[in-house]
Amino acid sequence: MAHSVQAPPERFNFAHHLLAATSGISDKPAFIDDHATLSYVELRARVRRFASGLRELEVRREERVLLLMQDSVDWPVAFLGAMYAGAVPVAVNTLLTAGDYAYMLANSRAQAVVVSGALLPVLNSALAGGPHEVKRVIVARPEAPLMPGEVDLQSFLRESAAMDAPADTSADDPAFWLYSSGSTGRPKGTVHSHANPYWTCELYGKGVLALRSDDVCFSAAKLFFAYGLGNALTFPLSVGATTILMAERPTPEATFRRLTGGVGAQKPTVFYGAPTGFAGMLASPQLPARSQVGLRLVSSAGEALPAELGERFNAHFGVDIVDGIGSTEMLHIYLSNRPGEVRYGTTGWPVPGYEIELRGEDGKPVPDGEPGDLYIQGPSAAMMYWGNRQKTRETFQGTWTKSGDKYIRNADGTCTYAGRSDDMLKVSGIYVSPFEVEATLVQHPAVLEAAVIGMEDAEGLTKTKAFVVLKQDAQVSEQDLKAFVKSRLAPYKYPRSIEFVADLPKTATGKIQRFRLRERERAANPLHPA
């Protein structure tokens, strides 16, 4: 890794940094969506106009602007425009409920909202259901006549003169929020500085992925996720590349249409996905041939990538999947395989610029080969969870960030995922990684997906149960699957029971929600009925 990185200057505005870095690029497309193409010169103009418009609304420095937007060419305009003005965009998941948005509006005290027309009804329900008021609702691509207090984004931009200079922000000033999707409790507003996306661009986008100006990038993960934000906005803009954006859900069919050049007449050279998505793609009867795509680089995050899945993808498309792990709290990936150096079944090595430690229950480092809690030290760690001092202290411990994941360090320095800290199972006194069992189950030719949980039996002992989704028209018995796992893992790791299901509960990022399966099991099989 010869890529050397200098720290940003003390006075630093990340939006201005991106615009300045691409000031020599004019008519080249920065973003392409289903309806429009936005060139680099148009992006610079619209960002500055949006920033000026916020100032005219009297949105002040560090006040929040909620972004409830589907991926489109308007998203980066609003996000970067708010940052350029010194305001703080709060990018939120588009798949939530009005109650969730009411909470986020009140929690962030957002002064303005930018919303996609298709999402305006749920936003209005949130505004009606809570005490919070906003100065203006800016609507991108409205689908119905606008009401008082609402303005069309295009009119908002036309009526604003471009701001001459960015807000004089510090590298350590709050720049934007992302809400982390906890498995329990309210989402936490994760506050990132202007310097944080700079570091992820330099250390991972350039340093590991080695993105180029001639790349065309496409991310299945949406822009409101930390992973998608780097993939489809900050990384490509930092090198002057082009990004294809997609508003719809990333089904295999929708993904294939982009990968084969069906949108914008440009085939992506870089694709960012997640293991669940890759499994669905490979199982689809519409899977395109290698000759129909133009991929040179494929990235994966969100959940650990089973080795067999990566190997099958490479066998079909002739390109490796570079698997890594990141988090909302660290903004992007800090532990990763590398292009040309992929060790399937592992999450690779620490990204240069980051350090990791695997610690036992006593807080001390564990030896190689033993599972430990993953802690990360690096320059892109979030500043805090807004208004949540207790959770901030639990997660951000001095210069270290507690990930909530367990890992095992291998002899070659790579690390292998061993499950979430709260998902690790102790069976007969020995730790069992649900992911290890799941990764073995999906090696069976009949299995599409699997999730493993631990449940207490009548004696209070933990037993493993697997939920299995079979491939279309495939058949296999429970006993055969148990025998399959026993033949590949230590005997005590095989699932004691297997239930065949049509699908698995997942988050919007595609992560399997094992806690939902545990809740369902407890409801169906109460050990101690009241």
Side-chain angles (χ1 to χ4, degrees):
M1 298 294 164
H3 180 70
S4 64
V5 181
Q6 291 187 327
E10 182 182 351
R11 309 311 302 174
F12 183 74
N13 182 291
F14 181 71
H16 173 67
H17 166 74
L18 283 185
L19 299 190
T22 57
S23 59
I25 306 174
S26 55
D27 295 333
K28 178 180 180 177
F31 296 97
I32 300 168
D33 67 18
D34 293 342
H35 305 285
T37 296
L38 185 66
S39 70
Y40 269 91
V41 69
E42 291 169 327
L43 173 68
R44 290 192 291 271
R46 290 189 193 182
V47 165
R48 292 186 171 108
R49 285 180 178 274
F50 187 90
S52 179
L54 285 184
R55 286 285 177 91
E56 290 166 15
L57 285 180
E58 298 184 347
V59 174
R60 295 169 294 186
R61 286 275 302 271
E62 296 187 20
E63 289 185 332
R64 270 74 66 187
V65 177
L66 196 84
L67 267 59
L68 176 55
M69 304 178 73
Q70 295 171 332
D71 282 17
S72 73
V73 299
D74 299 320
W75 206 106
V77 170
F79 183 80
L80 295 174
M83 290 173 65
Y84 196 88
V88 178
V90 179
V92 300
N93 189 328
T94 58
L95 305 174
L96 303 179
T97 67
D100 292 319
Y101 299 132
Y103 169 78
M104 291 171 174
L105 285 162
N107 180 250
S108 67
R109 298 194 282 276
Q111 297 299 297
V113 180
V114 193
V115 60
S116 295
L119 300 170
L120 183 56
V122 70
L123 173 68
N124 284 333
S125 295
L127 289 169
H132 188 73
E133 295 183 3
V134 298
K135 293 173 179 175
R136 190 63 54 88
V137 174
I138 304 164
V139 186
R141 302 178 188 176
E143 297 183 350
L146 298 180
M147 304 297 289
E150 300 171 352
V151 62
D152 174 56
L153 174 61
Q154 298 310 313
S155 300
F156 183 77
L157 294 173
R158 276 196 306 270
E159 294 166 5
S160 304
M163 184 181 285
D164 290 335
D168 179 26
T169 51
S170 157
D172 288 337
D173 280 349
F176 61 95
W177 294 15
L178 301 170
Y179 275 95
S180 68
S181 54
S183 58
T184 59
R186 290 287 196 180
K188 301 180 290 293
T190 310
V191 182
H192 281 285
S193 71
H194 279 270
N196 286 2
Y198 167 85
W199 285 114
T200 61
C201 287
E202 297 297 318
L203 296 175
Y204 195 71
K206 297 177 183 178
V208 173
L209 297 182
L211 295 179
R212 310 187 306 231
S213 61
D214 61 346
D215 276 321
V216 177
C217 301
F218 173 54
S219 173
K222 300 299 184 182
L223 285 165
F224 59 75
F225 295 119
Y227 181 47
L229 181 64
N231 297 345
L233 197 158
T234 63
F235 292 0
L237 289 186
S238 73
V239 299
T242 295
T243 300
I244 292 173
L245 296 174
M246 178 176 73
E248 66 184 295
R249 200 165 58 88
T251 62
E253 293 69 34
T255 299
F256 296 153
R257 196 158 76 85
R258 275 79 184 175
L259 293 180
T260 56
V263 174
Q266 295 204 41
K267 291 183 180 180
T269 59
V270 179
F271 175 56
Y272 310 87
T276 297
F278 293 127
M281 289 168 62
L282 291 174
S284 171
Q286 299 180 27
L287 181 68
R290 182 185 302 192
S291 60
Q292 292 177 274
V293 303
L295 295 172
R296 74 168 189 87
L297 177 65
V298 177
S299 163
S300 178
E303 56 187 334
L305 178 76
E308 181 263 349
L309 191 57
E311 288 161 357
R312 282 200 293 128
F313 189 94
N314 176 276
H316 183 83
F317 286 112
V319 59
D320 274 318
I321 297 177
V322 179
D323 185 36
I325 183 175
S327 67
T328 305
E329 289 74 13
M330 294 302 296
L331 189 55
H332 213 272
I333 290 171
Y334 48 79
L335 181 64
S336 180
N337 283 273
R338 302 162 186 168
E341 195 175 7
V342 170
R343 304 281 172 84
Y344 284 125
T346 81
T347 316
W349 299 264
V351 170
Y354 295 86
E355 294 179 45
I356 69 162
E357 276 190 6
L358 302 181
R359 303 178 186 174
E361 292 179 4
D362 59 1
K364 297 178 181 177
V366 299
D368 287 1
E370 290 189 15
D373 291 309
L374 174 64
Y375 287 74
I376 314 102
Q377 184 171 251
S380 63
M383 304 170 75
M384 62 176 163
Y385 296 128
W386 178 260
N388 196 331
R389 198 174 187 189
Q390 179 182 343
K391 289 291 185 183
T392 296
R393 284 175 164 174
E394 290 173 5
T395 300
F396 305 104
Q397 302 179 9
T399 60
W400 292 93
T401 300
K402 184 178 182 180
S403 72
D405 294 296
K406 282 189 179 287
Y407 265 85
I408 296 169
R409 193 194 322 268
N410 305 309
D412 62 356
T414 60
C415 294
T416 298
Y417 183 64
R420 289 289 296 172
S421 298
D422 52 2
D423 278 338
M424 286 293 287
L425 308 174
K426 216 165 194 179
V427 180
S428 302
I430 307 172
Y431 273 118
V432 174
S433 161
F435 176 76
E436 184 182 27
V437 183
E438 292 163 4
T440 303
L441 283 164
V442 298
Q443 291 174 26
H444 192 285
V447 175
L448 177 63
E449 293 180 313
V452 173
I453 64 170
M455 294 299 298
E456 287 188 0
D457 63 12
E459 286 75 40
L461 300 173
T462 298
K463 304 295 183 187
T464 49
K465 177 172 182 176
F467 296 83
V468 171
V469 180
L470 296 179
K471 294 177 182 175
Q472 190 170 358
D473 299 325
Q475 291 185 335
V476 66
S477 72
E478 179 177 354
Q479 291 306 316
D480 285 344
L481 271 186
K482 288 180 179 179
F484 182 82
V485 174
K486 285 181 182 178
S487 70
R488 284 161 173 76
L489 297 178
Y492 69 86
K493 295 183 178 181
Y494 85 95
R496 299 313 194 264
S497 64
I498 297 175
E499 181 177 337
F500 296 102
V501 294
D503 53 36
L504 297 173
K506 298 189 183 89
T507 66
T509 53
K511 294 181 185 177
I512 293 169
Q513 295 175 306
R514 296 187 188 88
F515 75 94
R516 297 282 184 207
L517 295 171
R518 287 195 291 267
E519 288 172 353
R520 195 178 81 185
E521 277 298 286
R522 291 192 187 103
N525 302 293
L527 292 177
H528 305 289

